[in-house]
């Protein structure tokens, strides 16, 4: 099991060892799959559908102890596949998923399948648990069609499906709806899905697009985090909200958080607008109560508190208090200072001190609490970008009263709707504490990555070094790395397009941006890329990328970010021209990431290739086998949009003069800890 931790920047990165892209832990789920097996689905596509379900189930590491699975299939009739208590071992469950029947019926009676799920799979005695989150996943390639089996018209059948979905939601079941292909009734599926439907509804162009690592990761993440999404307060949601309230009691939050070490940094507003020590104490009570949900100890959860007004103060570091009693005493003795709201100074302190003290192998969480707009919004924006650019912390923002929403969004991890909380007043922190602790403990490695890149749209060309110095084995590892990053994007003409250029003596376009429209096609094409051998003419590759790959004829789209990822293991044969070609590419609006592999790299040349600020866009790794350790931070940066602006000189205790100094500071810290 790996953690959310990402050792930093030029020499370290994430490691993702699973085929889906992450291993899910800390989830107690009962998931029922409702699988369309009607005749409109071709047999090969049905196999892709069951492969998708298999991989989603396999991404949960604690099947069947914490995560239980059940399934029904449907077409003209509903077929019981297996109940939650049918199997007691993981392999049997995965085998059962792979063997879901393909009935090829001539109708699509979705309403019967949803009813069977609710009244049978989740009925007492069939294995569903009261203390687990109940989830249903409907997969279909069309809309409800009663056929000749019921006395319903198509419109009546669709209405019946909505009725059954509503009854399921009223029973506290979180409903996911996945539509595949161009025959999907989107209105019907959005009605089936829980709210907000942008979290519970998926639509993909075809079954190849369904059977991708990105969609699998996204569904697994959202299933695990389903109770943390905000619901509207309609009558249809009351049962689900009530069920959720039971799940996030103090005892249940402690149970979810038990045994999982986390580094948590609270960043508290103590400006004059808080108005009194009594009000400030409500913030401290929130810190104490959230911390109480965790196991505090030398090898367990560590907590730190930063406060800010005119200046920022490190009230205590992560390693200062390693037992619950001393931690609570320290929290209670923090005084209120008053002053302006220099949020940026607190974020700078988080960056320069806290993030150099966090531990490897645990999740890192930052929680900013504020009741208004920062005094220096521009500097707060820059400081927030610098914190998020590390890829080493998940940031939550809690806004009280009139807190400025755009600034909360800037400070929080992405997507901001998952990481921003707005409440009416300080008293409301009391009602938030259990939900917040539960949310932190449900934070899954890689989930923010999957969510953050879900709506990302870009044209990306990977430029691969195929010179003789690489060697066959390392070239294969380079291709594995490229394939691995492809899996993390939402591939398609309305998402991310991928092209590839390889080079040695000359450059060669392996495939253009518009050549392949699915992840599967791109993965297959990467395996076919030939190892060229020769010397390292990086200039020719960058020139070809700019002049051929990023043209409209090759599939480059207007108004879409253009990203080039340059991989090399040595010094280019013509360094002057390489720099010239890189400048030309950047002048045409192409963002360049430069990845240097091995000990023969010229760092100055590499940073000359990279976009500005160069340290942000430059990666150095020891060998090609280590490339995979960097894929998540690379993807986070590509999906994050514009790079952080250089940091202006601060007047705080921990000055960082510019972005390069920042990256050197963090790199040195990472190296000392390795």
């Amino acid at each position: 099991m790996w953690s959310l931790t990402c050792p930093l920047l030029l020499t370290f990165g994430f490691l993702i060892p699973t085929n889906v892209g992450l291993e899910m832990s800390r989830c107690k789920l009962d998931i029922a799959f409702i699988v369309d097996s009607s005749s409109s689905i071709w047999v090969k596509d049905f196999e892709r559908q069951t492969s998708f379900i298999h991989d989603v189930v396999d991404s949960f590491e604690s099947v069947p102890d914490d995560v239980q699975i059940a399934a029904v299939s449907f077409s003209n009739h509903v077929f019981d596949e297996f109940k939650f208590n049918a199997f007691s071992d993981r392999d049997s469950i995965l085998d059962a998923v792979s063997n879901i029947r393909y009935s090829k019926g001539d109708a699509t009676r979705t309403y019967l399948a949803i009813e069977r799920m609710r009244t049978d799979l989740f009925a007492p005695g069939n294995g569903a648990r009261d203390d687990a989150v109940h989830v249903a996943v409907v997969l279909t390639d069309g809309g409800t069609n009663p056929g000749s089996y019921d006395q319903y018209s198509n419109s009546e059948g669709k209405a019946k499906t909505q009725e059954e979905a509503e009854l399921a939601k009223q029973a506290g079941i979180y409903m996911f709806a996945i539509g595949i292909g161009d025959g999907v009734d989107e209105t019907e599926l959005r009605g089936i899905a829980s709210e907000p439907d942008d979290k519970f509804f998926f639509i993909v162009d075809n079954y190849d697009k369904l059977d991708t690592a990105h969609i699998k990761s996204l569904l697994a993440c959202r299933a695990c985090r389903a109770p943390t999404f905000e619901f509207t307060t309609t009558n249809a949601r009351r049962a689900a909200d009530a069920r959720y309230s039971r799940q996030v009691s103090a005892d249940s939050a402690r149970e979810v958080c038990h045994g999982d070490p986390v580094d948590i940094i609270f960043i508290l507003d103590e400006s004059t607008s808080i108005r009194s020590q009594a009000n400030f104490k409500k913030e401290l009570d929130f810190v104490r109560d959230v911390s109480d949900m965790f196991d505090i100890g030398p090898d367990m959860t560590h907590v730190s508190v930063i406060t800010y007004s005119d200046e920022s103060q490190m009230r205590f570091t992560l390693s200062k208090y390693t037992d619950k009693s001393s931690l609570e005493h320290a929290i209670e003795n923090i005084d209120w200072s008053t002053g302006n709201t220099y949020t940026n100074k607190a974020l700078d302190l988080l960056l320069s001190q806290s993030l150099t003290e966090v531990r490897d192998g645990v999740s890192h969480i930052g929680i900013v609490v504020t009741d208004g707009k920062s005094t220096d919004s521009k500097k707060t924006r820059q400081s927030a970008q610098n914190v998020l650019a590390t890829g080493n912390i998940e940031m939550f923002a809690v806004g009280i009263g009139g807190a400025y929403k755009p600034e909360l969004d800037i400070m929080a991890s992405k997507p901001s709707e998952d990481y921003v909380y707005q409440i009416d007043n300080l008293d409301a922190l009391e009602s938030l504490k259990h939900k917040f602790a539960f949310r932190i403990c449900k934070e899954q490695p890689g989930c923010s990555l999957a969510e953050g890149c879900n709506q990302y749209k870009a044209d990306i060309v990977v430029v691969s070094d195929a010179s003789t110095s690489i060697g066959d084995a390392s070239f294969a590892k380079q291709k594995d790395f490229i394939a691995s990053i492809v899996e993390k994007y939402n591939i398609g003409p309305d998402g991310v397009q991928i092209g590839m250029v390889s080079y040695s003596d000359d450059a060669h376009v392996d495939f253009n941006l518009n050549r392949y429209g699915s992840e599967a096609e791109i993965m297959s094409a990467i395996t076919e890329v030939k190892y060229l051998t020769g010397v390292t003419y990086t200039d020719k590759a960058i020139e070809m990328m700019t002049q051929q790959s990023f043209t409209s004829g090759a599939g480059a789209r207007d108004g879409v970010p253009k990203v080039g990822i340059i991989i090399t293991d040595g010094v280019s044969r013509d360094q002057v021209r390489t720099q010239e070609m890189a400048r030309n590419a950047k002048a045409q609006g192409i963002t360049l990431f430069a990845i240097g592999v091995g000990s023969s790299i010229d760092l100055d040349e590499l940073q000359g290739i990279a976009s500005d600020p160069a340290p942000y866009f430059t990666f150095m790794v020891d060998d090609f086998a280590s490339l995979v350790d960097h894929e998540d931070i690379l993807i986070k940066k590509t999906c994050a949009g514009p790079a952080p602006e250089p940091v202006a000189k601060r007047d705080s205790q921990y000055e960082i003069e510019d972005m390069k100094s920042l990256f050197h500071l963090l790199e040195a810290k990472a190296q000392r800890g390795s």
Side-chain angles (χ1 to χ4, degrees):
M1 175 60 196
W2 65 285
S3 82
L4 189 62
T5 303
C6 169
L8 298 174
L9 306 172
L10 298 181
T11 55
F12 294 83
F14 279 101
L15 173 64
I16 303 184
T18 83
N19 61 334
V20 173
L22 67 161
E23 291 177 353
M24 304 297 294
S25 66
R26 302 195 296 255
C27 291
K28 191 167 188 178
L29 302 173
D30 291 338
I31 307 178
F33 287 93
I34 303 169
V35 186
D36 187 348
S37 63
S38 58
S39 58
S40 59
I41 302 173
W42 184 44
V43 62
K44 291 294 183 182
D45 285 336
F46 187 78
E47 290 171 1
R48 292 183 180 95
Q49 185 172 229
T50 55
S51 173
F52 167 81
I53 299 169
H54 177 283
D55 289 347
V56 171
V57 173
D58 199 32
S59 70
F60 294 99
E61 61 179 11
S62 53
V63 173
D65 296 331
D66 292 325
V67 178
Q68 296 187 151
I69 306 297
V72 296
S73 62
F74 70 99
S75 56
N76 52 346
H77 299 291
V78 178
F79 302 93
D80 295 322
E81 299 296 339
F82 54 92
K83 294 180 172 61
F84 290 111
N85 56 3
F87 305 105
S88 59
D89 66 281
R90 181 187 193 88
D91 289 342
S92 296
I93 293 169
L94 292 172
D95 285 345
V97 167
S98 298
N99 287 297
I100 291 174
R101 80 192 72 192
Y102 177 40
S103 60
K104 296 185 288 186
D106 59 356
T108 308
R109 299 163 81 191
T110 316
Y111 47 88
L112 289 184
I114 297 174
E115 179 187 31
R116 183 72 60 87
M117 173 273 298
R118 175 178 61 86
T119 61
D120 187 28
L121 295 186
F122 283 106
N126 289 332
R129 300 160 295 180
D130 289 339
D131 61 344
V133 177
H134 292 178
V135 171
V137 182
V138 179
L139 298 104
T140 183
D141 76 331
T144 298
N145 171 22
S148 59
Y149 298 91
D150 290 310
Q151 300 303 311
Y152 297 137
S153 66
N154 275 3
S155 60
E156 290 170 335
K158 290 177 183 296
K160 184 67 175 174
T161 292
Q162 297 302 305
E163 289 176 18
E164 290 298 338
E166 203 64 21
L167 289 171
K169 287 179 276 191
Q170 287 176 359
I173 301 168
Y174 297 96
M175 297 291 294
F176 287 88
I178 302 177
I180 308 103
D182 56 12
V184 166
D185 184 335
E186 183 172 338
T187 301
E188 178 177 291
L189 284 182
R190 286 189 181 275
I192 291 172
S194 293
E195 294 181 13
D197 61 14
D198 66 328
K199 295 297 183 187
F200 291 92
F201 168 69
F202 298 77
I203 188 166
V204 295
D205 295 336
N206 51 55
Y207 283 91
D208 281 336
K209 186 66 178 290
L210 175 71
D211 195 21
T212 62
H214 172 77
I215 299 297
K216 295 168 190 174
S217 298
L218 207 57
L219 177 61
C221 284
R222 290 182 180 177
C224 188
R225 288 164 54 175
T228 71
F229 298 133
E230 295 295 328
F231 284 86
T232 57
T233 55
T234 61
N235 290 337
R237 302 296 175 264
R238 287 178 180 172
D241 287 339
R243 181 180 178 80
Y244 175 53
S245 297
R246 293 195 297 272
Q247 289 167 346
V248 292
S249 65
D251 289 342
S252 61
R254 287 191 184 94
E255 180 182 354
V256 170
C257 296
H258 174 68
D260 287 315
V262 186
D263 283 345
I264 308 175
I265 302 104
F266 291 91
I267 304 162
L268 305 181
D269 188 344
E270 60 170 342
S271 60
T272 302
S273 58
I274 297 296
R275 298 191 176 184
S276 68
Q277 177 71 43
N279 279 341
F280 183 61
K281 187 177 184 299
K282 294 172 184 176
E283 290 186 72
L284 301 180
D285 290 345
F286 174 70
V287 174
R288 180 199 63 207
D289 293 343
V290 172
S291 301
D292 188 52
M293 302 297 107
F294 295 83
D295 298 330
I296 306 297
D299 298 320
M300 298 304 295
T301 292
H302 292 181
V303 174
S304 172
V305 174
I306 294 171
T307 60
Y308 63 97
S309 54
D310 287 333
E311 301 294 337
S312 61
Q313 298 185 66
M314 178 62 72
R315 297 301 188 136
F316 51 85
T317 62
L318 286 163
S319 58
K320 180 69 173 178
Y321 301 108
T322 55
D323 67 89
K324 190 164 288 190
S325 176
S326 61
L327 174 63
E328 290 180 354
H329 182 73
I331 293 168
E332 290 170 359
N333 282 281
I334 296 174
D335 60 330
W336 177 47
S337 293
T338 75
N340 292 300
T341 311
Y342 282 99
T343 318
N344 58 295
K345 296 183 179 182
L347 295 171
D348 290 345
L349 186 55
L350 168 69
L351 179 68
S352 60
Q353 185 170 356
S354 300
L355 285 183
T356 63
E357 297 173 347
V358 292
R359 296 168 292 172
D360 292 346
V362 304
S363 297
H364 306 155
I365 303 293
I367 303 167
V368 181
V369 181
T370 183
D371 78 334
K373 188 176 181 180
S374 63
T375 302
D376 192 329
S377 294
K378 183 177 179 181
K379 287 185 177 180
T380 295
R381 174 186 290 272
Q382 293 177 1
S383 298
Q385 287 176 332
N386 292 332
V387 169
L388 295 173
T390 68
N392 198 30
I393 189 167
E394 298 301 312
M395 291 294 295
F396 293 82
V398 181
I400 300 163
Y404 186 46
K405 177 63 162 58
E407 201 165 74
L408 298 175
D409 291 341
I410 288 166
M411 292 189 289
S413 293
K414 302 298 179 287
S416 60
E417 60 264 26
D418 286 358
Y419 292 90
V420 171
Y421 292 78
Q422 287 190 285
I423 55 178
D424 293 335
N425 50 52
L426 285 162
D427 291 327
L429 286 171
E430 169 69 20
S431 63
L432 184 64
K433 61 189 181 183
H434 297 152
K435 178 180 180 179
F436 206 83
F438 190 85
R439 171 68 176 84
I440 292 171
C441 293
K442 286 292 187 184
E443 184 59 42
Q444 293 296 328
C447 280
S448 62
L449 181 68
E451 289 285 3
C453 287
N454 186 44
Q455 301 299 322
Y456 182 57
K457 192 172 186 177
D459 292 335
I460 300 176
V461 176
V462 183
V463 179
S464 169
D465 190 342
S467 59
T468 301
S469 58
I470 302 286
D472 287 310
S474 290
F475 187 71
K477 290 184 175 69
Q478 185 178 186
K479 293 200 297 181
D480 289 345
F481 166 71
I482 297 167
S484 186
I485 64 174
V486 168
E487 286 188 317
K488 307 304 183 298
Y489 293 115
N490 186 15
I491 300 295
D494 295 320
V496 173
Q497 295 186 148
I498 300 287
M500 186 171 172
V501 172
S502 54
Y503 69 98
S504 56
D505 291 330
D506 289 298
H508 172 73
V509 174
D510 298 301
F511 51 89
N512 282 321
L513 293 163
N514 58 1
R515 180 68 178 86
Y516 302 113
S518 72
E519 177 187 306
E521 291 175 313
I522 294 172
M523 302 288 272
S524 177
I526 291 169
T527 64
E528 298 299 320
V529 172
K530 304 300 182 185
Y531 177 39
L532 302 174
T533 73
V535 294
T536 311
Y537 279 99
T538 316
D539 58 309
K540 295 181 181 180
I542 298 175
E543 180 181 32
M544 179 168 284
M545 173 198 72
T546 305
Q547 295 185 0
Q548 296 188 35
S549 297
F550 281 116
T551 62
S552 58
R557 296 165 291 180
D558 291 338
V560 172
K562 296 175 174 57
V563 177
I565 300 173
I566 317 298
I567 306 173
T568 182
D569 81 330
V571 177
S572 63
R573 181 55 62 99
D574 190 336
Q575 290 185 288
V576 173
R577 192 169 188 274
T578 294
Q579 297 299 307
E580 180 186 350
M581 292 301 104
R583 285 192 298 271
N584 290 345
K586 289 178 279 190
Q588 294 188 35
I590 301 169
T591 299
L592 295 183
F593 287 85
I595 303 176
V597 183
S599 58
S600 300
I601 292 298
D602 182 331
L603 181 57
D604 288 336
E605 180 184 50
L606 203 66
Q607 293 194 340
I609 293 171
S611 290
D612 185 52
Y616 180 82
F617 290 99
T618 303
F619 294 79
M620 291 279 287
V621 300
D622 293 335
D623 51 46
F624 281 93
S626 302
L627 278 171
V628 69
D629 297 347
H630 296 257
E631 60 188 38
D632 264 25
I633 189 64
L634 172 64
I635 294 163
K636 276 198 172 196
K637 287 181 178 182
T638 58
C639 293
E645 300 174 39
V647 183
K649 188 171 182 178
R650 310 298 189 195
D651 56 2
S652 67
Q653 176 182 357
Y654 303 96
E655 291 185 351
I656 304 173
E657 292 187 3
D658 55 26
M659 181 62 77
K660 187 172 182 179
S661 300
L662 161 65
F663 277 66
H664 287 171
L665 182 153
L666 294 176
E667 181 188 17
K669 175 65 182 178
Q671 289 174 334
R672 286 197 300 273
S674 61

